Amino acid sequence: MSLDAVYRRHLDITVEYDVPARMRDGTTLYADLYRPTRGGPFPVLLMRLPYDKTQAENLTYHHPAWYARQGFMVVVQDTRGRWRSEGDFYPFAFEAEDGYDTVEWAASLPGSNGRVGMYGFSYVGATQLLAATQRPPSLRAICPGLTASQYYDGWTYNGGAFALAFCASWATQLAIDTAKRRGDDTATAQLAAAFMQAPAWYSSLPLKEYPPLAATGLAPYFFDWLEHSSYDEYWRRWSIDEDYSQITVAALHIGGWYDIFIHGTVKNFAGLRREAGDENARRMQKLLVGPWYHLPWGQVTGCVDFGPEARNIVDLWQLRWLKQFLMDEDTGVLDSPVTVFVMGINEWRDFDDWPPPGVVERDFYLHSAGAANSINGNGRLNLDPPGGEPPDVYTYDPLFPTPSAGGRSCCFATIAPMGPADQAAVEISNGVLVYTSAPLERDLMVVGPVRATLYAASSAHDTDFTVKLCDVGPAGQSINIAQGIVRARFRESLSQPSLITPGEVHEYRIDLGPTAHVFRRGHQIRVQVSSSDFPHWDRNLNTGGELGAEGAAAARVATQIVLHQHDYASRITLPVLEE
């Protein structure tokens, strides 16, 4: 019995493979179609992805056959230059126009009722949002999952630092298909091996000669990303958050608290809720965030079991969303604009907005007797502004950086450190300042954006400062909750970098992103301060030289001074929600 016969007999659906769609410039893209065998016409559910249409991101979602059985015609298309589709691939470049053309093509397919929805996560969230900026008339709803608001800050860079583990491994993964399309067995094998062994390559310098990609020339965009190290027109042309008024479609924004793109996911929801192109669209925005990293999604993320409530419920939410807007069923999906999983108490909560009404920002100040180095130091954290305290001093050597322990990266935990993790191996280092509160006398709910303000000086012309928020349990285990970085030259602007003067005190504002977490009674709040989190981000060589262009011999040790006194009140700001 053929696979098609199995689909028809046991699932009551039919499948068409490699259905051509001609784009406005004559390029043909190919899709697989899944449709119910009886009834119709049907609304269309479209996924456009660069990762092989036969898989349809089924590492996280139900198979397209499942959606077809719910009454949708499902169209899964290889994007331009990927797998079966014609053309040349370049990330983000063609997704807006190709997305518009594909939506309207899908709406006109035999058996379609003319209504189109889209779904998918990561890059496939970008294919939805970029298509939506073109306002295709047949597009009624989208479900962008775990995706960003732009592709400079929050995707390729964070606070001016290059997201090394993600970008290097992702570009290598993309290049594998390009090599396959060219029939290059040698390059395909080399790239596949480099992807699986990615952690062994992250230390390669200079980055602009990254060996796995420089050797093949099959991912030129990786080197373009390095060349455009500041936010310029290269990035601005693809930035969703430059103008949310372009979008007038209902959107279910799905995120994970440990996902690399959580900043952008939340920003897209808030931006479209306030600035979408019409009032109706502004009312039709929904935020759903679980305690997940990029993939897979389930109750166990990293070293934490968040309980059965944290299981993957995304398909069920998407089904409600799509039935609401493509089938005119009242599913109650918009009863609350925000539904998020609150870690610590491991419960789903509904809120009226993001950040939730009633959130109050509270400053927790860094204190020490001048030796907050490591878990063995005297760093403290409390609500009292600092007095005349001595600063803390540490050194940062780019050739021996602070290692990443979990965090928000992508896309596989074996390739890039991500998720909640025990911080013991990090906090034992004297190159990490550790500030810890007294045990809490009652639960503290933190829901919203977290940010840090550091007053610091460096011996270098350029350097990095990292901040990590952690929850310390009664047994002493420290688990990361949120993290952030700022590259000193980008402290004032991501578009116009400026070096620092050695020895001069500067204010550094560091975005740690959003979270929803309860620090339980008896737990402690901890803040780590360092100058690297590698390989999550690339290493600053402390020279002030061209980013990505210098080799290991150029690296310089930087002496860092963090102040917490009178006019230099270094602190972390937590959004606290009283219950």
Side-chain angles (χ1 to χ4, degrees):
M1 183 181 293
S2 70
L3 183 59
D4 292 344
V6 172
Y7 276 124
R8 183 181 294 273
R9 177 176 177 180
H10 296 285
L11 298 176
D12 206 23
I13 64 172
T14 62
V15 184
E16 298 176 59
Y17 300 101
D18 295 331
V19 180
R22 194 171 180 84
M23 301 295 101
R24 65 188 67 181
D25 66 352
T27 301
T28 299
L29 310 185
Y30 290 92
D32 294 342
L33 273 59
Y34 303 76
R35 67 178 91 216
T37 55
R38 290 183 291 272
F42 305 102
V44 177
L45 183 53
L46 170 65
M47 174 185 285
R48 304 188 61 254
L49 78 166
Y51 305 122
D52 183 5
K53 59 183 172 60
T54 65
Q55 299 187 57
E57 294 199 310
N58 62 5
L59 286 172
T60 54
Y61 297 116
H62 289 326
H63 191 273
W66 183 85
Y67 283 96
R69 294 182 70 193
Q70 313 305 316
F72 298 95
M73 179 191 299
V74 185
V75 178
V76 185
Q77 183 190 69
D78 288 330
T79 55
R80 180 183 294 248
R82 302 295 296 171
W83 301 88
R84 290 284 294 132
S85 290
E86 297 176 356
D88 296 317
F89 174 74
Y90 194 97
F92 315 113
F94 305 101
E95 307 306 353
E97 291 78 10
D98 285 355
Y100 180 104
D101 293 350
T102 302
V103 166
E104 294 309 305
W105 165 80
S108 68
L109 287 168
S112 165
N113 70 2
R115 295 183 175 187
V116 179
M118 300 181 75
Y119 77 115
F121 81 106
S122 196
Y123 188 90
V124 192
T127 65
Q128 298 172 65
L129 289 162
L130 289 167
T133 65
Q134 304 298 298
R135 299 189 180 183
S138 303
L139 185 61
R140 300 295 185 88
I142 58 176
C143 306
L146 292 92
T147 198
S149 60
Q150 59 164 267
Y151 309 112
Y152 174 74
D153 193 44
W155 186 290
T156 310
Y157 290 84
N158 298 100
F162 187 63
L164 175 63
F166 162 55
C167 291
S169 60
W170 183 50
T172 303
Q173 178 190 8
L174 291 171
I176 294 171
D177 176 55
T178 304
K180 289 176 64 178
R181 289 165 63 89
R182 297 184 181 183
D184 190 332
D185 288 335
T186 299
T188 300
Q190 290 175 342
L191 288 163
F195 177 77
M196 297 304 296
Q197 300 163 6
W201 291 106
Y202 294 149
S203 295
S204 301
L205 290 173
L207 279 180
K208 289 187 176 181
E209 298 175 10
Y210 188 69
L213 298 176
T216 65
L218 296 178
Y221 34 85
F222 176 81
F223 301 100
D224 291 343
W225 301 337
L226 290 168
E227 189 66 30
H228 295 272
S229 58
S230 61
Y231 185 58
D232 58 15
E233 287 303 319
Y234 173 86
W235 302 105
R236 194 169 284 111
R237 56 184 165 164
W238 300 320
S239 292
I240 306 298
D241 57 15
E242 282 282 322
D243 185 6
Y244 282 119
S245 69
Q246 298 177 95
I247 296 177
T248 57
V249 68
L252 171 62
H253 305 270
I254 303 162
W257 292 133
Y258 286 96
D259 178 50
I260 187 172
F261 306 130
I262 186 59
H263 299 65
T265 298
V266 171
K267 187 175 184 180
N268 284 335
F269 164 77
L272 287 169
R273 186 166 165 79
R274 292 161 178 77
E275 303 171 22
D278 60 52
E279 179 59 32
N280 194 42
R282 292 192 284 274
R283 289 195 303 267
M284 298 187 300
Q285 304 298 316
K286 170 78 179 183
L287 179 64
L288 176 73
V289 185
W292 311 310
Y293 46 28
H294 201 69
L295 65 92
W297 312 328
Q299 74 176 62
V300 178
T301 302
C303 69
V304 176
D305 184 338
F306 288 102
E309 289 297 308
R311 67 190 186 280
N312 183 356
I313 57 172
V314 171
D315 289 291
L316 298 178
W317 271 95
Q318 286 189 158
L319 182 60
R320 292 175 62 194
W321 187 259
L322 295 164
K323 285 187 173 183
Q324 179 88 24
F325 294 103
L326 300 185
M327 295 180 175
D328 296 327
E329 294 185 18
D330 185 3
T331 65
V333 73
L334 280 173
D335 288 350
S336 295
V338 176
T339 300
V340 300
F341 190 92
V342 180
M343 301 179 292
I345 57 174
N346 297 345
E347 297 176 0
W348 289 96
R349 293 288 181 90
D350 292 328
F351 297 110
D352 292 332
D353 203 353
W354 187 269
V359 163
V360 176
E361 292 189 339
R362 295 176 67 181
D363 291 327
F364 287 76
Y365 294 94
L366 311 188
H367 298 271
S368 82
N373 309 77
S374 87
I375 191 64
N376 299 311
N378 53 31
R380 296 174 290 112
L381 187 74
N382 61 42
L383 295 169
D384 301 323
E389 302 173 9
D392 291 305
V393 183
Y394 67 96
T395 57
Y396 157 54
D397 185 346
L399 298 186
F400 297 93
T402 300
S404 299
R408 292 167 171 162
S409 193
C410 179
C411 296
F412 301 93
T414 55
I415 302 299
M418 59 188 195
D422 188 333
Q423 299 296 300
V426 173
E427 294 173 351
I428 197 66
S429 169
N430 275 351
V432 179
L433 305 180
V434 178
Y435 304 90
T436 309
S437 75
L440 296 173
E441 296 180 356
R442 60 189 179 94
D443 288 358
L444 184 74
M445 180 178 286
V446 174
V447 186
V450 178
R451 69 178 188 276
T453 305
L454 295 183
Y455 292 93
S458 175
S459 63
H461 290 281
D462 187 35
T463 193
D464 292 348
F465 289 100
T466 64
V467 175
K468 193 179 295 182
L469 173 67
C470 303
D471 184 332
V472 183
Q477 185 183 47
S478 176
I479 301 295
N480 53 300
I481 304 300
Q483 66 189 113
I485 189 169
V486 63
R487 183 145 290 173
R489 69 175 70 187
F490 293 104
R491 68 198 179 280
E492 296 174 340
S493 170
L494 295 177
S495 299
Q496 298 178 323
S498 59
L499 299 179
I500 58 176
T501 301
E504 184 174 320
V505 176
H506 292 280
E507 180 186 69
Y508 296 96
R509 296 177 297 277
I510 303 174
D511 180 6
L512 277 69
T515 194
H517 180 83
V518 172
F519 292 86
R520 300 305 301 267
R521 180 177 179 270
H523 286 227
Q524 295 167 281
I525 305 168
R526 177 169 291 167
V527 171
Q528 298 175 17
V529 176
S530 188
S531 287
S532 55
D533 188 338
F534 178 83
H536 182 87
W537 291 296
D538 71 319
R539 295 163 291 172
N540 194 320
L541 299 187
N542 297 327
T543 66
E546 180 184 348
L547 295 176
E550 297 176 306
R556 297 291 180 266
V557 175
T559 299
Q560 320 288 48
I561 301 176
V562 175
L563 295 86
H564 37 83
Q565 60 191 43
H566 299 305
D567 296 335
Y568 298 117
S570 295
R571 59 196 181 273
I572 190 165
T573 303
L574 302 182
V576 175
L577 184 63
E578 299 287 352
E579 290 195 300

